[in-house]
Amino acid sequence: MKMSGGVEWALHCCVVLTASHTPVSAAKLAELHDVSSSYLAKQLQALARAGLIHSVQGKSGGYVLTRAPESITLLDVVRAVDGPGPSFVCTEIRQRGPFATPADACTTPCPVSRAMWAAEDAWHQALAAVTIADLARDVDATSGPEALVGIQAWLTGGA
Amino acid sequence: MKMSGGVEWALHCCVVLTASHTPVSAAKLAELHDVSSSYLAKQLQALARAGLIHSVQGKSGGYVLTRAPESITLLDVVRAVDGPGPSFVCTEIRQRGPFATPADACTTPCPVSRAMWAAEDAWHQALAAVTIADLARDVDATSGPEALVGIQAWLTGGA
DNA sequence: TATACTCGGACACAACGAGTCTGAGTAACG
DNA sequence: CGTTACTCAGACTCGTTGTGTCCGAGTATA
């Protein structure tokens, strides 16, 4: 039960992209967070495939958020980077072995998977309740409002 | 974000152990579920290490639940088999790169990890709200009460 | 006391994630 | 309009974790 480490990078990148309405290259984002640019590119591609960010090619290209930060939830980012499939997969153990339940009697999921999926739903709902905009607001509150504007200047500026 | 498949086996085994107050060997549990006995043994060892089940050695040995099924939650089993660590690990990205937040200013977790951990807490609470006894009751309700008693007879009997 | 059956940990194999690299495409610039 | 330099996108390699198996230590039984 280990989440892909790229989720953290992707979330921070989304927060940073909130501060800039012009394309930001993957290299800049990687340097800002001091992580491998090649690997971060992979996470950004996943976000682009999911339609959360838009990629702009060319000399001054990069990535831009497609939607408003208020309409991007953490669940969107997690599912995009970490995969949409459920973490718990039911292999239908009850249909195997000497006491196998006949397949036609398995109209409803088995109690075990029901409980596991209910817990997973709770996790999903908690993630869906928080948006990128909420995170950006929290960052402003903890690190001070000057942090994001400084980053924005650094992103658009050259150095 | 993929959960260990052994969790499903462990949960089903706990439900089955509810029906028998005498030790059940790993081989019997494996045959009942039609899974590898060697690998199932590993999951049962994890449960034993966590103190959820007690191992009895010797000729007619096996595993028995240590506590009442009502006091064993799904969270206990998941943490025992899948590992107790959190699924989301914060690598403190904010302390790296040109705009690194100084370490002494990081008294509270960063907003990203706060949100992720809150979601994980929701998942934990949902798992902790369900017990093995609840699952056994559900199995009785769906498969009929004769299922578990039949399994119990098969476990204690020879064949 | 001998025995046969049990669990327990140590040992290979496979799959997924992590990380890197080179190539295709496009906007800017001379 | 051609060149150029910069961008993203996909294919490739490596390490780690999970999966599956095996043999040895220990104990209740006969």
Side-chain angles (χ1 to χ4, degrees):
Chain A
M1 192 55 175
K2 182 67 171 41
M3 177 164 340
S4 166
V7 172
E8 184 186 10
W9 300 8
L11 286 172
H12 280 271
C13 284
C14 286
V15 172
V16 169
L17 285 178
T18 299
S20 167
H21 284 202
T22 61
V24 181
S25 73
K28 273 288 178 68
L29 288 170
E31 185 185 356
L32 175 65
H33 297 102
D34 188 25
V35 296
S36 159
S37 66
S38 310
Y39 189 38
L40 180 62
K42 176 174 296 199
Q43 321 301 339
L44 295 173
Q45 286 170 28
L47 292 178
R49 257 190 295 266
L52 300 178
I53 61 178
H54 181 63
S55 69
V56 186
Q57 286 202 343
K59 193 176 174 81
S60 61
Y63 292 98
V64 198
L65 292 178
T66 53
R67 300 185 240 155
E70 292 84 8
S71 66
I72 302 180
T73 69
L74 296 201
L75 181 60
D76 295 328
V77 178
V78 169
R79 285 174 60 97
V81 175
D82 205 61
S87 64
F88 180 84
V89 286
C90 179
T91 59
E92 287 294 334
I93 280 188
R94 57 179 171 174
Q95 296 186 25
R96 307 172 56 174
F99 280 82
T101 305
D104 52 1
C106 296
T107 56
T108 61
C110 78
V112 172
S113 56
R114 262 204 304 265
M116 294 300 289
W117 285 337
E120 210 164 320
D121 270 344
W123 182 63
H124 283 352
Q125 287 186 10
L127 286 179
V130 183
T131 69
I132 297 296
D134 295 330
L135 289 186
R137 189 165 27 242
D138 273 13
V139 170
D140 267 358
T142 56
S143 302
E146 68 277 7
L148 280 181
V149 301
I151 288 178
Q152 177 177 10
W154 179 80
L155 287 176
T156 57
Chain B
M1 193 52 174
K2 182 67 172 44
M3 175 163 343
S4 167
V7 173
E8 185 187 9
W9 300 7
L11 286 172
H12 280 271
C13 284
C14 285
V15 173
V16 169
L17 286 178
T18 298
S20 166
H21 284 203
T22 60
V24 181
S25 73
K28 274 288 178 70
L29 288 171
E31 185 185 356
L32 174 64
H33 297 103
D34 189 23
V35 295
S36 157
S37 67
S38 309
Y39 189 38
L40 179 63
K42 177 173 295 197
Q43 320 300 340
L44 296 173
Q45 285 170 28
L47 292 178
R49 257 191 296 264
L52 300 179
I53 61 178
H54 180 64
S55 68
V56 188
Q57 285 202 342
K59 192 177 176 80
S60 61
Y63 292 98
V64 198
L65 292 177
T66 52
R67 300 186 239 154
E70 292 83 9
S71 65
I72 302 180
T73 69
L74 296 201
L75 181 61
D76 295 328
V77 177
V78 169
R79 285 174 62 96
V81 175
D82 206 60
S87 63
F88 180 85
V89 286
C90 179
T91 59
E92 287 293 337
I93 280 187
R94 57 178 171 176
Q95 296 187 25
R96 307 172 57 175
F99 280 83
T101 305
D104 52 0
C106 296
T107 56
T108 62
C110 78
V112 172
S113 56
R114 263 205 302 265
M116 295 299 290
W117 286 335
E120 210 164 320
D121 270 345
W123 183 63
H124 282 354
Q125 286 185 12
L127 285 180
V130 184
T131 68
I132 296 296
D134 295 330
L135 290 187
R137 190 164 26 241
D138 273 12
V139 170
D140 266 358
T142 55
S143 301
E146 68 277 7
L148 280 181
V149 300
I151 288 177
Q152 179 177 8
W154 179 82
L155 286 176
T156 56

